Amino acid sequence: MQLSYVIQSNPIQRPTLLHVPPAVRLGEPISAVDTPALLIELNAFEHNVARMQSAVNAAGVALRPHAKAHKTPAISLAQIQAGAVGVCCQKVSEALPFVEAGVRNIHISNEIGSPAKAALLAELARHASTSVCVDHPTQIGWLADAVDAPLDVFVELNTGQDRCGVNDADAVLRLVEKLQTHRQLRFKGLQAYHGKVQHVRSQQERGDIAKRAAERAAAVVVALDARGVRCEVVTGGGTGSLEFDLQGGIYTEVQAGSYVFMDADYARNDYADEWRFEQSLFLASSVMSLGDGSRIVLDAGLKSLAVDTGLPDIWGRPLDYISANDEHGIVTARDGAPHPALGEQLLLVPGHCDPTLNLHDELIAFRDGVVEAIWPIAARGLSR
Amino acid sequence: MQLSYVIQSNPIQRPTLLHVPPAVRLGEPISAVDTPALLIELNAFEHNVARMQSAVNAAGVALRPHAKAHKTPAISLAQIQAGAVGVCCQKVSEALPFVEAGVRNIHISNEIGSPAKAALLAELARHASTSVCVDHPTQIGWLADAVDAPLDVFVELNTGQDRCGVNDADAVLRLVEKLQTHRQLRFKGLQAYHGKVQHVRSQQERGDIAKRAAERAAAVVVALDARGVRCEVVTGGGTGSLEFDLQGGIYTEVQAGSYVFMDADYARNDYADEWRFEQSLFLASSVMSLGDGSRIVLDAGLKSLAVDTGLPDIWGRPLDYISANDEHGIVTARDGAPHPALGEQLLLVPGHCDPTLNLHDELIAFRDGVVEAIWPIAARGLSR
């Protein structure tokens, strides 16, 4: 059988009245939010933005927060207003809504993987001060073919994560020499990011790994300097390793992103008090079934929450979210705790902020329980 | 510090040229697809649609495929054209794009969790033949308050999954009696779906669990009949339990959805040959870094692939996807296998189809390596 994919032949009544209503309106209490919906608490958010800026200012390091964590231009604009020098994006397509919203200084903290992506990067560079990473001469060739105006290029150094990036100063130098054959490509420095360190629980152990990563970067900077190649910028670091990144003296710019939100995974890390950011990100969910009366079933599962680093916590209630199905969450009450009622709204702390944001189209911003703004997650789904 | 969230004050050049280009155009080969992008192979898809319809026809059972698996109206229209009686949706908002596309027979295979959702359901019921599940008298009250035209209502029976649904005939009967107090609510039958059975690997064990579930449903149908309450429809079943659902004689309608795609998890089940559907769903991904030369890094991670049931398989290549980061996939080559080149495109089989579809805005349909259609995943993100 070959299907022809035609629309059904019965006449279609134009469903002009049939649209998804807004989850909530400005000025309404968050208890009125139709669930599941993603929320940000503004007092915690603003505290986090201010705390981070004051920490980097005190260390004399620039802040270029990662937009991959939130994909929300309104958040980047708040960070830039507070003093951030620009943003990082992980994909070229991800950067476009930020330019549209007025962010004009963007580092693509990743390698581009094809000539088509190099062409889009060239287009981006016509609208914003743009930089990108390389770790292979082929990528340099793609960039050189696509880009005409001057472009800042970072060589990515592997500092222990064993993902992208070359391993040593000689390999960096070979790429710098290749860059120097193209007039429009300017070597700007090193990207040295270690993703795995961010989620190590022990502060001591996190510090040890972060310091070894910084030492690897520092050794390469020195070796390049001895060969007459200056690293103007060393960019890297993250929310989990921040206190060590700022102390190490090697990063001129940090890329932390998750600090604006925190999540259940980051909350499980052991921090000195001053380096613990506040939880601002919540998923509003409701009890949609009690089953036979002994169960608690929420309306939010895998399609509303990323669970790759663990299940969500339930905020301020002696309840445990024990299993995520596609559209359902299974909850149990701790010993003797009262069960929530059918229809009751609960706030969940997502396990992992970045991929959770990527599931939602808007972020409902509230303060003191009242909705103040609704921010489009404009780069949601832009992974090319 | 209180932030005011204003747009940056520098004048903004309207970026009219700065949009995300299409991933591919009709008629181009899939090797031209900008990655990551989600693909469907049409020969396998059409085989699956036809095979399922012929299986349910032979069993004398109606097919109401679940749209939560694909969220793509074009797929539902193809299923209806082949003989499906309508679709299932898991959320009321999820149903709206299907109505827009011309699907006019929709079962919400879930309970509604609030008066607001009951109101939206009432609106849906003005545009499509609609039914919904209940497992609590409060939900019946919400429906009765919202709905004026006749509405078919199913009572959900827990057949062993211990999620939504009441446990026995007495509990069903209490809800039927409550329904009978509302003129516009009509008891249509039972929903008896057991999600956990779908992913049990052993065919024998899957059969045993599915049969026990069917026996529980059958016993309730008999008990209701003895009280003068007829179940016109018993709806349930899925891709993993299909052969048992069709043999059991209790389901009048099956809800399978994933069979159109298959995925790495469903592929790991042990099936009789005739019940194994073909793999039609792929994620196109490219090698974007080789790191220091010893590594293979893809451009697709957690934001392009759901990994809750396991990592993706790499189609037709002796390569293993061993770790998913937010935007990266780490791959290793099996002993002695050649490494793919930088920029090379690989096809991945997602671990879990449903939440993977929910990450993408479009599904690129191809046949014999050439793009034939691009289908909007119109219900992506509609989880309310």
Side-chain angles (χ1 to χ4, degrees), chain A residues 31-280:
Chain A
S31 59
V33 169
D34 188 37
T35 61
L38 203 59
L39 312 182
I40 183 168
E41 200 286 309
L42 288 170
N43 290 326
F45 165 70
E46 290 171 4
H47 166 88
N48 292 343
V49 169
R51 166 71 189 123
M52 175 61 92
Q53 193 63 49
S54 111
V56 299
N57 289 350
V61 169
L63 175 64
R64 180 184 290 281
H66 218 305
K68 78 192 253 321
H70 53 74
K71 290 179 173 274
T72 304
I75 291 181
S76 290
L77 293 171
Q79 291 168 317
I80 289 167
Q81 188 188 340
V85 297
V87 305
C88 293
C89 290
Q90 196 74 317
K91 300 291 186 107
V92 183
S93 66
E94 186 179 68
L96 305 189
F98 290 89
V99 176
E100 183 89 22
V103 176
R104 295 304 168 107
N105 191 316
I106 296 174
H107 172 55
I108 306 296
S109 56
N110 207 356
E111 288 70 19
I112 48 112
S114 68
K117 290 186 204 300
L120 188 59
L121 183 90
E123 183 62 22
L124 173 65
R126 290 186 193 103
H127 298 270
S129 174
T130 300
S131 57
V132 68
C133 295
V134 297
D135 66 1
H136 194 282
T138 297
Q139 296 150 354
I140 295 174
W142 290 334
L143 290 173
D145 289 345
V147 171
D148 37 28
L151 180 76
D152 288 336
V153 181
F154 287 78
V155 175
E156 183 159 12
L157 180 71
N158 172 33
T159 58
Q161 180 170 21
D162 294 336
R163 193 171 68 186
C164 306
V166 297
N167 279 358
D168 56 37
D170 286 347
V172 174
L173 204 63
R174 281 193 295 274
L175 293 171
V176 172
E177 287 165 358
K178 171 91 176 164
L179 285 170
Q180 286 165 344
T181 66
H182 300 287
R183 208 170 25 85
Q184 74 277 40
L185 303 182
R186 191 168 81 99
F187 174 67
K188 185 78 171 180
L190 295 182
Q191 175 167 293
Y193 175 70
H194 194 320
K196 285 182 186 164
V197 67
Q198 307 304 325
H199 308 280
V200 170
R201 296 287 172 249
S202 144
Q203 188 195 9
Q204 171 79 46
E205 201 183 333
R206 228 163 47 245
D208 290 346
I209 301 171
K211 282 170 201 162
R212 281 199 300 275
E215 282 162 12
R216 284 175 72 160
V220 170
V221 170
V222 169
L224 290 175
D225 204 53
R227 311 282 280 273
V229 175
R230 179 162 169 268
C231 293
E232 182 185 332
V233 174
V234 179
T235 185
T239 296
S241 60
L242 183 70
E243 72 176 294
F244 316 107
D245 301 332
L246 294 182
Q247 287 162 5
I250 181 67
Y251 294 103
T252 66
E253 179 180 282
V254 289
Q255 298 185 352
S258 304
Y259 73 95
V260 295
F261 294 138
M262 295 295 281
D263 59 28
D265 183 69
Y266 267 120
R268 287 179 198 118
N269 277 3
D270 172 37
Y271 302 94
D273 281 351
E274 60 180 327
W275 294 106
R276 179 178 288 280
F277 290 90
E278 293 182 6
Q279 183 63 43
S280 73

Side-chain angles (χ1 to χ4, degrees), chain A residues 8 35 46 102 117 135 289, chain B residues 5 8 35 46 102 117 135 289:
Chain A
Q8 281 179 299
T35 61
E46 290 171 4
K117 290 186 204 300
D135 66 1
S289 172
Chain B
Y5 313 114
Q8 281 179 301
T35 62
E46 291 171 4
K117 291 186 203 298
D135 66 2
S289 172

Side-chain angles (χ1 to χ4, degrees), chain B residues 1-126:
Chain B
M1 177 191 59
Q2 171 139 351
L3 301 165
S4 59
Y5 313 114
V6 295
I7 299 285
Q8 281 179 301
S9 59
N10 54 318
I12 295 170
Q13 179 193 353
R14 187 77 193 158
T16 47
L17 294 173
L18 196 49
H19 62 279
V20 182
V24 71
R25 289 176 176 83
L26 300 190
E28 288 188 318
I30 59 165
S31 59
V33 170
D34 188 36
T35 62
L38 203 59
L39 312 183
I40 183 168
E41 199 286 310
L42 288 170
N43 290 325
F45 166 70
E46 291 171 4
H47 166 87
N48 293 343
V49 169
R51 165 71 190 124
M52 175 62 91
Q53 193 63 49
S54 110
V56 300
N57 289 351
V61 169
L63 176 63
R64 179 183 291 282
H66 218 305
K68 80 192 252 318
H70 53 73
K71 290 179 172 275
T72 304
I75 291 180
S76 290
L77 294 171
Q79 291 168 317
I80 289 167
Q81 188 189 340
V85 298
V87 305
C88 292
C89 290
Q90 197 74 317
K91 300 291 187 107
V92 183
S93 65
E94 185 179 69
L96 305 189
F98 291 88
V99 176
E100 183 90 21
V103 175
R104 295 306 168 105
N105 191 316
I106 296 175
H107 171 54
I108 305 296
S109 57
N110 207 356
E111 288 70 20
I112 48 110
S114 69
K117 291 186 203 298
L120 188 59
L121 183 89
E123 183 62 21
L124 173 65
R126 291 185 193 103

